[in-house]
Amino acid sequence: MVTIVLGAQWGDEGKGKIVDFLSAEADVVARYQGGANAGHTVVHAGRKFVLHLLPAGVLWPQTVNVIGAGVVVDPVALMTEIAQVEAAGISLEKRLFVSHQAHLIMPYHKLLDQLYESQSDRPHIGTTGRGIGPAYVDKVARVGIRIVDLLDRDFVREKIRAAVGDKNRLISRVFDAQQLDVEAIVEEYMAFDQKIDPYVKDVSVLLSEAVAAGKEIILEGAQGTLLDVDMGTYPFVTSSNPTAGGACTGLGIGPRKIDRVIGIIKAYTTRVGEGPFPSELGPADGGIDLRERGDEYGATTGRPRRCGWFDGVVARFAARVNSVDVWALTKLDVLTGINPLKVCVGYEDGTRTYKHFPSDARILSRLRPVYEELPGWTEPLGEARNLGDLPQAARDYLGFIQEFTEVPVAMVSVGPSRHQTIVR
């Protein structure tokens, strides 16, 4: 079975824990888009791992883990993460493969990301400054440097020199910043070539063979549906496709091979960075309390997340564009002690009501949420192991989400550990 696991909100839904949980039965876990700007937090044997590029399945010894062509790979971040995981006694030998078609993040991508974001006359997107956007720009402009380029050392040396030369002119003439050392970058990537070589693989062939063999395969996305460059709250989005279609293009697997799509939703809503957020709670409304309750700080940057009530309009939109079969709902335990609870069921602007998610971020920024109230509960949920262990109000909350989104809730997380997961 081939399962896509993706975020159905603005990212940070708890995909790392869910993929790690599902990986207990998986043969292959494959990451299909994004870069080191995404952080998946997994608690393994009492220890917390924050994974940026490595698939969340790496902590299970039987899994083969894949980084697809849709991912932009930061060599420094990748090798650092491999070293950290292996230092914890987890071997990645013959268990980690990186697509030869994946594009590399270069030092000039990181610098340009930071320079663009610092310009006062440009929209402030709230990027992580890790070079993701500029790397995808070069990919689409057909001037990117791919892992396969490293196979010809003379060719890639000249390609890097030409690329750095072009970017240095931009850096100095447009941004009036210091140029980068061309030869230092060339030598850095020649050294990386030696380190990455054991992991390089034709990922499409690997996955095709795994499908033919009947393997259990998980395709893992980063970020979330509302950050999709096409479907999300543009321009306040990431530079790739976290939606289900991105799994096929990012890994070289055909859409008819997909058996199931699991959407991850948080029991409330969060987002990091700029952009409209209709159900956001301000400090006076309890937004800060929800942030502290849920430890809502970015796994990659540590930035505080903006918090708000569960947005059913967002969830229905995500279900539609991804063909979500079931929900995995996380952090239900965080809502304990809040009464009443609210769920956003529409938007309004004073003249009309919106039941569907608008495609224009400018319109979305002007809309007010329409809420339905539900009773809360006071009982702690961390020891619940089946739905019957949950208080009635918590079950009713799940039931409301199921009915409103027309998608069943198949998994419920009531804490950070693997065992704190209810499977229906």
Side-chain angles (χ1 to χ4, degrees), residues 122-338:
R122 293 174 60 91
H124 183 65
I125 305 299
T127 74
T128 60
R130 294 175 183 245
I132 309 302
Y136 278 111
V137 168
D138 279 1
K139 176 179 180 176
V140 174
R142 301 181 295 277
V143 295
I145 295 172
R146 302 192 299 170
I147 289 178
V148 70
D149 294 333
L150 299 173
L151 296 176
D152 187 330
R153 294 174 70 83
D154 291 335
F155 168 77
V156 78
R157 279 192 182 97
E158 293 311 309
K159 189 171 183 178
I160 292 174
R161 289 186 180 110
V164 178
D166 288 342
K167 294 302 191 291
N168 269 341
R169 285 188 288 274
L170 177 63
I171 288 165
S172 60
R173 296 177 186 178
V174 175
F175 296 102
D176 194 26
Q178 184 176 351
Q179 294 191 351
L180 298 169
D181 186 327
V182 178
E183 293 309 314
I185 294 174
V186 170
E187 293 309 311
E188 177 186 351
Y189 281 76
M190 291 303 96
F192 172 67
D193 176 34
Q194 301 294 327
K195 297 176 183 177
I196 194 65
D197 189 61
Y199 304 106
V200 178
K201 192 85 170 178
D202 187 327
V203 162
S204 179
V205 171
L206 183 155
L207 290 173
S208 177
E209 292 173 348
V211 171
K215 300 290 188 181
E216 194 72 27
I217 303 169
I218 297 173
L219 312 183
E220 173 192 37
Q223 288 95 24
T225 296
L226 273 295
L227 292 180
D228 186 279
V229 69
D230 293 309
M231 294 290 106
T233 49
Y234 190 90
F236 306 100
V237 294
T238 193
S239 301
S240 58
N241 296 105
T243 44
C248 297
T249 57
L251 289 165
I253 186 170
R256 288 190 293 177
K257 301 299 182 184
I258 307 302
D259 298 298
R260 179 175 62 164
V261 179
I262 299 177
I264 314 299
I265 50 172
K266 201 174 285 185
Y268 46 99
T269 311
T270 63
R271 80 170 296 175
V272 173
E274 305 298 321
F277 182 2
S279 67
E280 182 174 13
L281 293 168
D285 302 315
I288 299 299
D289 178 58
L290 198 55
R291 180 186 298 157
E292 300 305 321
R293 282 168 165 265
D295 191 24
E296 295 296 349
Y297 296 88
T300 299
T301 64
R303 289 185 296 177
R305 296 175 184 140
R306 300 157 62 190
C307 299
W309 296 115
F310 183 86
D311 191 325
V313 182
V314 164
R316 286 204 301 200
F317 172 77
R320 171 165 54 88
V321 301
N322 293 299
S323 294
V324 173
D325 293 298
V326 295
W327 297 125
L329 185 140
T330 63
K331 292 199 169 184
L332 184 64
D333 54 301
V334 173
L335 297 183
T336 292
I338 301 176

